[in-house]
Each structure stands twice: as structure tokens, then as C-alpha cells.
Amino acid sequence: MRAGTLGIVAGRGRLPQRLATAEAEAGRPVVVAALPGTDMDGFGGVPVFAARYEKLGRLMADLRSRGVDRVVLAGAIARPALDWRRFDLKALAAVPRILRAFRRGDDGLLRVVMAVFEAEGFHVVGAHEILPDLTLSPGAAGRHRPSARDLADIARANGILTALGPVDLGQAAVVAGGLCLGVETIQGTDTLLGFVADTAGGFRRSARGVLVKRPKPGQDLRADMPVIGPGTVAGAARAGLAGIAVAADTVMVLDFAETCRDADAAGLFLWAIDTP
Amino acid sequence: MRAGTLGIVAGRGRLPQRLATAEAEAGRPVVVAALPGTDMDGFGGVPVFAARYEKLGRLMADLRSRGVDRVVLAGAIARPALDWRRFDLKALAAVPRILRAFRRGDDGLLRVVMAVFEAEGFHVVGAHEILPDLTLSPGAAGRHRPSARDLADIARANGILTALGPVDLGQAAVVAGGLCLGVETIQGTDTLLGFVADTAGGFRRSARGVLVKRPKPGQDLRADMPVIGPGTVAGAARAGLAGIAVAADTVMVLDFAETCRDADAAGLFLWAIDTP
């Protein structure tokens, strides 16, 4: 069976461009539906059309008219940018589910969008299925490695994230010398690292500390895959951390070469762990 | 049996003064052992002597020589202020336990100190046992009450804190419209509220949000009782929250009259809930 066109529903960040150019370079047919906030640079020759989740019916019709049968939801969307008055029928039909999703955790909205796409016959794939080299294998990705103390901090942060799974919270946490210096909430990882940089001074003792980032237990990676990149390394360096640990295979590293080079240069480890 | 003198081991904050004056006004014998950072004002005629946890042996001898048989650990201590080189023998004997405690959660150190006091024959009591009116009964303490939406946010924050119990983290969390805007880490509640004030803007939607503060499940209230006060109300107001919910009977409200008046004036509810 020949696969049809891949539709990239693009949001903020650089993942959509990565996916589009990789597919185009491999000679596979691809189009981009750009949500508000998408950076329109960097899609090369890949066709791009504007889209809104408020017009879910038109979005799906536009994708279908371009031969799309597989969809990847890529890049963050600005949640408060949803304009309810502009919802079309398909989007309105999903409103009760969207409202429920809004009251739940972080990735609720994209899960609903995904369910609507699937109900309409699209196959929803994850970005990591298209670009498997976006994730890390267990062990060190760069030049530096965590110390025994860092490994203990990684284990404690991981335990905190595991505990938060049932309440649909916590893709990331920072621990230094056994003390938790921050837990990621809706504001995201960069804000968490800024918080640690600003407030951790007196609490760090001699440990530098680690950032651990991983999917929530049971998180659907097609809807909302955890991502790190050069910005994460810069934030971790500003926060004085010893390094970054991510779940192997399930956390995307955007701009891997740059991320790794920056981590090496800043003396930070970049480490992948097996998580349950 | 006639009770001997109460020894207040005082740290930062205004609780030590509250306890000392209440005991003195009730005509009960009381002395204050002031750790570094204790505000020496406001103890009235109650005898105060300087103390350090590094000199735990001398501290206990000083208490005993003043007829102290009951001790209350009151007020926050500055954790990094411990000067290991100055530890006396009693303190050194507790070092392995202190080191283990440091690697655990927030209240580990005070639990160790408490265990040492008890091993030496002191009876360690909680501040709430001396001043039972420091805590709230279930329901509204001020003029305002949580809306149905606020109650849902309180329930979600409470669920998050319950999930964090097993990893010895989380006395407080902020939730608005179902989304978690912050989880308290070692930096404390005021820092959490500052974080929310600085970062929650785009994530709050139409909900104002709530702060929920409670003991960790199984937390020993004698070692580290959660506290709110006028500063918490000011922080919650700056963060734009609708109100503050605390666990009934187990969270101290310092300067109740002022706290309540400030909450009323700022339009915030002050609400106590039964927690498991």
C-alpha cells in the first residue's frame, strides 16, 4: 500500500520545519497546515497553507483535498489564542471534549484534536516515528557524564515525576543534592529553569543539580512529545546545573548537533535514561 | 503532675514570639533558645538565650538547667547557616542522621533534631498544641467564599499534593481553571507565589486560581507545621489569585486577625478544608 501525503499541522517551535524538510528530502509527499504562531521560514519548497483549530472542519477538508491521509501534530500551540467565536461545526462538535480537556492536564487539547482527526479517518503519527533520530539512546550523548551524586539526583527527580503521573502533571523536575528545586508546571521547561536560576541560590549546598525531563506515564507521544534543544541547555547552564537527563527514545532533541555541542561547551552532561 | 518549663527553640518568623507571650500571659514558665536569625524583639519579659543546632549538647544542657522538660521547635531555620565545624559532640553524634535527612525532603533536619531531643528525655510538643487557635476550622475564615470553580481548583491542587506525599514534597500548589501554575519546592510558599505572579499571565484563562497549602501526608506537625500569614495573603493577591485554602486544624495562621482583614480587603477567600 502506497502511503498518501503527510500533513504536518504546525505550531510554534522548529520541529515542523525539521519534519517537513526531512520528508521532502526523502522524496515523500508532504504539506504543512500552519497554525497561528508558526514561523513560516524554513519550510523550503514544501507547500504551506494557513489553518486554525477553530476551523477544524475546514482544516480537515483542506488536508484531504491535498491527498493527506496521515497527520502529525508538531510544535506547541498558543493555548489562549483559541478564538471560540470562530469555531466551525467540526470544532464546535468537539467543544465539550475540549472543555473537559482544558480542565485536565497539559496535553488534553491535542489529545482531543487527535481523536477528532482519527474519527475522520486520518492516521495520526508521532514526530518521532517520522524522525526516529530525534530521540536519544540510553547513556551519554555528549562528552560529559553524570557523577554518582548526579545519578542520585536524577533518580530522585525521576521518582518525583513518577509520583506526579497520576495527576497528569510534571514532564520535568530539577533536583540538587536530594532537594527538589522546581517542578515543571504549565509554563514549561524554560520557565522552570529560569525559576531555578533566580531562586535556588541558598538551597543548593554543594550540589549543582540536574534537570530530568520525560513523558508523563501513559502520555501519548503523538499529541505532545517532550522536547529539549539548545534553549534547554542554555537555561540549564544559567541555572548552574550539572546536566540534563531525558528519557531514552521518548524525548525529542531538536537540533541535536547544536544541543550536544552547547552542552559539551558548557560542561553539562546530556544523559538518557530508561524510564518505566 | 506539674509540667516544668516550656523551652521554645526559636528560628525566623514571628511564631516564637507568639508562643512565648501566650505562655507568659497564661502564667506558665517559658524560656526561649534563639537560633541565629531569630528576631529578638517581641519576647516581652520572657528569658531568651542564644543557641545553635551545631551546639546541640550545650543547647540541651542550657534548657535543662532552666528546668525545661518540654520543647517546641518554632520558626524556620536557615538551612545553609549550619556551620559544621562548630558541631559539639551531641550534634556530631547526630551527623549521620542529619546527612541522611538533608538528602530527603524539607522537614528532615527538624525531624532529626526532634528525635535527638526525645532521646535525651525532652517531650517535644507542636506549636498547635500550645496555641490551638493558630489553626482554622473547616469553612470560610473571612468574608469571601470560594466559587464552584474555585472549589474545583482546590480539589485539583489537593489531589496534586496528595500525589506528591510519597516523595516527601509539596506543601502547597497553585491551580487556576484546572491548570497547575506552580508546585511548592524547597524555596517555600512566598517564592511559589512570586513565580505564579511573574509567569502565569498567559496561562490563567478566565480563572483567577487558588493556593492550597497543607501538611504532607504523614508530616510530623511538631517538626515543621505549614504556616500562612499576612505575607501569604499579599503574595496571593499579587499573583491575582481568588483565595487561599488550607487544611483545617493542621496549618498555622500567624497573625490571624491581620491575615483575615487583609484577605477580606483584597477580596480573597480564606478557606479551610478537611484533608485525608
Side-chain angles (χ1 to χ4, degrees):
Chain A
M1 191 190 88
R2 182 189 156 280
T5 299
L6 174 72
I8 299 171
V9 182
R12 291 178 298 170
R14 296 174 36 75
L15 178 61
Q17 293 82 353
R18 277 287 304 275
L19 291 168
T21 51
E23 288 294 283
E25 280 164 18
R28 289 188 289 267
V30 56
V31 301
V32 174
L35 299 170
T38 304
D39 180 359
M40 303 301 276
D41 283 342
F43 286 112
V46 174
V48 181
F49 64 93
R52 299 188 74 94
Y53 276 143
E54 293 94 327
K55 307 288 186 194
L56 201 48
R58 190 201 291 169
L59 168 56
M60 291 191 290
D62 284 346
L63 290 169
R64 238 184 238 111
S65 72
R66 288 162 171 84
V68 168
D69 60 358
R70 290 174 310 139
V71 164
V72 57
L73 308 179
I77 60 159
R79 202 190 280 256
L82 278 186
D83 182 349
W84 298 89
R85 291 161 305 176
R86 302 179 65 178
F87 272 45
D88 69 11
L89 279 177
K90 283 285 182 209
L92 282 173
V95 163
R97 270 184 294 174
I98 292 174
L99 284 173
R100 275 197 302 278
F102 261 156
R103 291 201 194 90
R104 299 184 57 236
D106 206 357
D107 50 349
L109 175 64
L110 287 178
R111 268 191 233 157
V112 171
V113 168
M114 212 165 66
V116 172
F117 272 108
E118 295 202 311
E120 295 284 324
F122 291 95
H123 184 54
V124 181
V125 297
H128 59 304
E129 298 172 66
I130 296 169
L131 286 176
D133 64 347
L134 284 171
T135 62
L136 300 181
S137 302
R143 196 199 308 159
H144 306 285
R145 305 176 74 87
S147 67
R149 187 167 197 180
D150 296 330
L151 289 171
D153 283 342
I154 290 170
R156 168 126 173 88
N158 203 30
I160 289 167
L161 297 177
T162 300
L164 284 168
V167 289
D168 198 20
L169 188 73
Q171 282 194 340
V174 174
V175 168
L179 293 177
C180 185
L181 299 177
V183 170
E184 179 173 326
T185 44
I186 188 75
Q187 300 92 327
T189 307
D190 292 346
T191 306
L192 163 66
L193 290 171
F195 172 73
V196 173
D198 290 346
T199 65
F203 299 98
R204 206 189 298 250
R205 301 199 303 270
S206 57
R208 294 174 65 194
V210 302
L211 169 74
V212 174
K213 186 158 185 177
R214 49 171 270 195
K216 290 171 266 188
Q219 180 172 336
D220 191 325
L221 298 176
R222 298 173 307 165
D224 179 27
M225 196 163 180
V227 175
I228 66 165
T232 320
V233 171
R238 266 195 306 274
L241 303 186
I244 299 169
V246 299
D249 305 327
T250 55
V251 173
M252 265 190 284
V253 183
L254 281 183
D255 302 314
F256 174 77
E258 187 185 348
T259 302
C260 212
R261 194 174 59 234
D262 290 356
D264 283 351
L268 301 189
F269 63 78
L270 192 57
W271 182 251
I273 52 174
D274 280 315
T275 59
Chain B
M1 192 191 88
R2 183 191 155 280
T5 299
L6 175 71
I8 299 172
V9 183
R12 291 178 299 169
R14 295 174 38 74
L15 178 61
Q17 291 82 352
R18 277 288 303 275
L19 291 168
T21 52
E23 288 294 283
E25 279 164 19
R28 289 187 289 267
V30 56
V31 301
V32 174
L35 299 171
T38 303
D39 180 0
M40 303 301 276
D41 283 341
F43 285 113
V46 175
V48 181
F49 63 92
R52 299 187 72 96
Y53 276 143
E54 293 94 328
K55 306 289 185 194
L56 201 48
R58 189 201 292 170
L59 168 56
M60 291 190 291
D62 284 346
L63 289 169
R64 238 185 237 111
S65 73
R66 288 162 171 84
V68 169
D69 59 358
R70 291 174 309 140
V71 163
V72 57
L73 309 180
I77 59 159
R79 202 189 280 254
L82 278 186
D83 182 350
W84 299 89
R85 292 160 303 176
R86 304 179 64 177
F87 271 44
D88 69 10
L89 278 178
K90 285 284 182 208
L92 282 173
V95 164
R97 271 184 293 172
I98 292 175
L99 284 173
R100 276 197 302 277
F102 261 158
R103 292 201 193 91
R104 299 184 57 238
D106 205 355
D107 50 351
L109 174 65
L110 287 178
R111 267 191 233 156
V112 171
V113 169
M114 211 165 64
V116 173
F117 272 108
E118 295 202 312
E120 295 285 324
F122 291 95
H123 183 54
V124 181
V125 297
H128 60 303
E129 298 172 67
I130 296 169
L131 285 177
D133 64 347
L134 284 172
T135 63
L136 300 181
S137 303
R143 196 199 307 160
H144 306 285
R145 305 176 73 86
S147 68
R149 187 167 198 181
D150 296 330
L151 289 172
D153 283 342
I154 290 169
R156 168 127 174 87
N158 203 31
I160 290 166
L161 297 177
T162 300
L164 284 168
V167 290
D168 198 21
L169 188 73
Q171 282 195 341
V174 174
V175 168
L179 294 178
C180 185
L181 299 177
V183 170
E184 179 173 328
T185 44
I186 188 75
Q187 300 91 329
T189 306
D190 292 345
T191 306
L192 164 66
L193 290 171
F195 172 73
V196 173
D198 290 345
T199 64
F203 300 97
R204 205 188 299 249
R205 299 199 305 270
S206 57
R208 293 174 66 194
V210 302
L211 169 74
V212 174
K213 186 158 186 178
R214 49 172 269 195
K216 290 171 265 188
Q219 180 173 336
D220 190 326
L221 298 176
R222 298 173 307 165
D224 179 27
M225 196 164 178
V227 174
I228 66 165
T232 321
V233 171
R238 267 196 305 275
L241 303 186
I244 298 169
V246 298
D249 304 326
T250 53
V251 173
M252 263 190 285
V253 183
L254 281 183
D255 302 314
F256 175 77
E258 188 186 348
T259 302
C260 212
R261 195 174 58 236
D262 289 357
D264 283 352
L268 301 189
F269 64 77
L270 193 56
W271 183 252
I273 52 174
D274 280 317
T275 57

